[in-house]
Amino acid sequence: MPHSAHEAVNTYFTEAARIIDLHEELYPVLTTPYRELAVQVPVRLDDGSLLVTRGYRVQHNGARGPYKGGIRYHPDAGLDEVRALASLMTWKTALVNVPFGGAKGGVEIDPKMLSKAEMQRLTRRFTGAIHHILGIYRDIPAPDVNTNAQVMAWMMDAYSSVHGYTPAAVTGKPLDLGGAPGREAATGRGCVYVLGAHCRQEGIDLSSQRVVVQGFGNVGSWLSHELHALGAKVVAVSDVSGGVFSEHGLDIPALRSHADEGQPLVDAPGVEILTNDELLATRCDVLVPAALGEVITEDNAEAVQASIVLEAANHPVTPHGDKLLGDRGVVVIPDILANAGGVAGSYFEWTQNIQQFTWKEERFNQELEDLMTTAYAATRAAADSYGCTLRRAAFALGIERVAAAARLRGYV
Ligand code: NAD
């Protein structure tokens, strides 16, 4: 079994590459990153002391277009983790057929220890250290764990101070700075479009599903909001502080207001408290990991009670955990399909910035729904024709498209 996140993603790559008879000489070209930049990030703290940490930008594959992927601020955002996430972006952008390659960035930092001014200084130093490999037709960052529209605004400004005003240099920006109406909700909403397509295919009534969601940040809270609005019963949600549960379904709008005030979920009134481990084993139809990677493993996959696992987070299920779920007939809707609404929404924002023309949110959501349901249908058709899981089918489609572009460009 793989020892690192990048090896784990490559396990999924290899399983899918065998199905499509990919020529073995392409394996090293498609599994190793094109470029990895590791930089020192010194930050002067408000108390006058100096904190020095590391930051990374990994450009995995650019055969199909400019590199694209989020920036994560987290103590565990080391090079292997960022490499794994960059490779997932390559297969994701190809699967949903947006004209990008795959990249990811990270800074090894716990942003909860930083003031807003310190966050801004950190973001400017990191952008200053990597700006020479970014650009609207080179590499376009976006938000990820612990980064948001404000961080993207600082990145855009730091990039623009060297290269001139360039809103398309990053996506996920605030609306007042070239952001796209609909982008903030796009990842969570996209997950719900994919789940809806799966339910229609299987004859399942989405509005009657019991749902459990781990993570209540950008992705988890929007996804919970959309499912709640469709009538599904969201019985448990969690953040880093722990989980909250209600047998009759949680009041998601109230919990979002509570979280928006910066309050931990476990302090919300009128709910039962759960640990994150208990949350993953809670009785439900759909379990949605929407926080960090590798939370469903060989140690807890047997305890999962859901019949569908919707991977809103990136790489939330290890290969061993995936096998145990599959053996029990649990359908896993893989990350590169489920959460691709984020990069699809970023594509719409980038397109609008380049054209200097803003779409209405209705158009954004309609385009997003079309793109996500088309990707689900293609993945489902490939899974049926190969007789394999949705994950293998999704990787197979992504790999085929990247391999074709690499050959046509004469990379290989
Ligand atoms: P976020 O920082 O907005 O939210 C993360 C949430 O996870 C928070 O509620 C946090 O409290 C919770 N969390 C952190 N550590 C936890 C732990 N140990 N146990 C339980 N909960 C924990 O991040 P986000 O943007 O919502 O991203 C969540 C996941 O979705 C990540 O895997 C990310 O890579 C993936 N994703 C995000 C986007 C996007 O557009 N933001 C797009 C695609 C995929």
Side-chain angles (χ1 to χ4, degrees), residues 166-190:
T166 323
V170 296
T171 56
K173 298 179 293 296
L175 294 182
D176 288 336
L177 210 61
R183 169 61 184 93
E184 192 194 277
T187 310
R189 197 168 271 154

Side-chain angles (χ1 to χ4, degrees), residues 72 74 85 92 104 143-147 183 187 214-220 238-240 276 290-292 312-314 339 342:
R72 178 176 291 198
H74 197 276
L85 295 166
K92 188 183 302 181
K104 202 81 179 188
D144 191 70
V145 173
N146 291 330
T147 59
R183 169 61 184 93
T187 310
Q214 183 186 52
F216 207 62
N218 172 282
V219 180
S238 70
D239 62 14
V240 69
N276 263 295
L292 296 176
N314 281 309
N339 70 34

Side-chain angles (χ1 to χ4, degrees), residues 224-308:
S224 301
H225 171 269
E226 293 292 295
L227 285 172
H228 183 263
L230 289 171
K233 204 190 273 185
V234 182
V235 293
V237 299
S238 70
D239 62 14
V240 69
S241 70
V244 294
F245 172 82
S246 166
E247 177 61 33
H248 306 295
L250 293 161
D251 182 348
I252 296 297
L255 287 175
R256 292 186 84 214
S257 306
H258 177 83
D260 284 348
E261 287 163 13
Q263 301 298 320
L265 281 176
V266 292
D267 291 347
V271 288
E272 282 179 50
I273 306 295
L274 295 172
T275 65
N276 263 295
D277 289 344
E278 288 166 343
L279 176 122
L280 293 172
T282 300
R283 185 174 66 81
C284 61
D285 302 302
V286 183
L287 174 63
V288 190
L292 296 176
E294 304 197 342
V295 293
I296 300 176
T297 67
E298 70 264 40
D299 296 331
N300 62 1
E302 303 275 12
V304 168
Q305 297 200 44
S307 50
I308 298 172

Side-chain angles (χ1 to χ4, degrees), residues 32-325:
T32 53
Y34 168 70
R35 173 156 51 189
E36 300 182 340
L37 181 59
V39 296
Q40 184 195 63
V41 189
V43 193
R44 185 65 63 189
L45 300 182
D46 294 343
D47 66 6
S49 64
L50 187 70
L51 179 132
V52 184
T53 186
R54 304 289 291 167
Y56 309 95
R57 185 68 179 171
V58 174
Q59 297 174 334
H60 180 261
N61 187 292
R64 300 185 71 259
Y67 301 98
K68 188 87 189 79
I71 302 280
R72 178 176 291 198
Y73 288 172
H74 197 276
D76 298 335
L79 187 54
D80 181 80
E81 177 84 5
V82 174
R83 202 181 268 150
L85 295 166
S87 65
L88 283 175
M89 289 304 296
T90 297
W91 314 126
K92 188 183 302 181
T93 52
L95 172 65
V96 298
N97 215 1
V98 292
F100 292 130
K104 202 81 179 188
V107 178
E108 290 176 305
I109 189 82
D110 181 0
K112 289 181 188 61
M113 292 167 43
L114 301 181
S115 69
K116 193 171 175 188
E118 290 165 342
M119 276 278 269
Q120 178 171 179
R121 289 199 287 276
L122 173 98
T123 302
R124 290 184 180 282
R125 284 307 285 259
F126 178 56
T127 310
I130 66 168
H131 75 91
H132 56 290
I133 63 164
L134 304 180
I136 64 171
Y137 296 115
R138 281 185 152 207
D139 184 348
I140 307 122
D144 191 70
V145 173
N146 291 330
T147 59
N148 55 19
Q150 174 63 79
V151 173
M152 292 305 110
W154 293 326
M155 281 199 91
M156 187 277 242
D157 186 66
Y159 182 87
S160 295
S161 66
V162 181
H163 299 272
Y165 178 66
T166 323
V170 296
T171 56
K173 298 179 293 296
L175 294 182
D176 288 336
L177 210 61
R183 169 61 184 93
E184 192 194 277
T187 310
R189 197 168 271 154
C191 288
V192 175
Y193 289 146
V194 169
L195 180 63
H198 179 73
C199 288
R200 284 192 295 281
Q201 176 83 27
E202 293 292 321
I204 298 168
D205 175 13
L206 178 56
S207 66
S208 69
Q209 298 295 287
R210 263 172 83 93
V211 185
V212 166
V213 182
Q214 183 186 52
F216 207 62
N218 172 282
V219 180
S221 70
W222 273 109
L223 177 147
S224 301
H225 171 269
E226 293 292 295
L227 285 172
H228 183 263
L230 289 171
K233 204 190 273 185
V234 182
V235 293
V237 299
S238 70
D239 62 14
V240 69
S241 70
V244 294
F245 172 82
S246 166
E247 177 61 33
H248 306 295
L250 293 161
D251 182 348
I252 296 297
L255 287 175
R256 292 186 84 214
S257 306
H258 177 83
D260 284 348
E261 287 163 13
Q263 301 298 320
L265 281 176
V266 292
D267 291 347
V271 288
E272 282 179 50
I273 306 295
L274 295 172
T275 65
N276 263 295
D277 289 344
E278 288 166 343
L279 176 122
L280 293 172
T282 300
R283 185 174 66 81
C284 61
D285 302 302
V286 183
L287 174 63
V288 190
L292 296 176
E294 304 197 342
V295 293
I296 300 176
T297 67
E298 70 264 40
D299 296 331
N300 62 1
E302 303 275 12
V304 168
Q305 297 200 44
S307 50
I308 298 172
V309 171
L310 178 68
E311 292 188 336
N314 281 309
H315 185 48
V317 180
T318 64
H320 202 154
D322 194 53
K323 178 159 184 345
L324 292 174
L325 291 175

Side-chain angles (χ1 to χ4, degrees), residues 14 22 29 102 212 262 270 289 311 318 335 411:
T14 306
L22 185 77
V29 183
V212 166
E311 292 188 336
T318 64
D335 46 10
Y411 282 5

